[in-house]
Amino acid sequence: VYFPVSVPGALLYFGDGHALQGDGETTGDALETSMDVEVEVDLVRGKRAGQVRIETPTHIVAIGLDGSLDASFRSASSSMFAWLAADYG
């Protein structure tokens, strides 16, 4: 997972673990739980990610976060287009 860093010296926070969640968090319904996690963080200098990005051995995923589903889809699409152009030509 790639998280954009917008502020020099920014910190990373994990929280709000969900054991179960409905159709997103639009209704505010989720079963909160505690988490025990181990995380390794690497800072990738000189690389810009406008939005959160995910890379697996078989897929690349652009995440769209915005006020509506349409705006989120546009954001994710724009992010994916930029990623493909920058990294894959």
Side-chain angles (χ1 to χ4, degrees), residues 11-30:
L11 302 176
L12 182 61
Y13 170 80
F14 283 84
D16 196 27
H18 294 178
L20 183 67
Q21 184 169 314
D23 298 327
E25 205 170 334
T26 56
T27 61
D29 295 330

Side-chain angles (χ1 to χ4, degrees), residues 27-80:
T27 61
D29 295 330
L31 180 59
E32 305 285 335
T33 186
S34 62
M35 300 184 306
D36 292 323
V37 298
E38 288 186 30
V39 177
E40 181 178 319
V41 177
D42 294 317
L43 178 60
V44 181
R45 294 188 183 276
K47 192 157 185 139
R48 294 264 177 217
Q51 296 281 355
V52 176
R53 296 177 174 175
I54 301 169
E55 205 170 335
T56 74
T58 58
H59 294 81
I60 59 173
V61 181
I63 303 295
L65 302 170
D66 214 309
S68 71
L69 183 58
D70 290 339
S72 295
F73 182 76
R74 280 191 297 275
S75 176
S77 297
S78 296
S79 180
M80 180 60 78

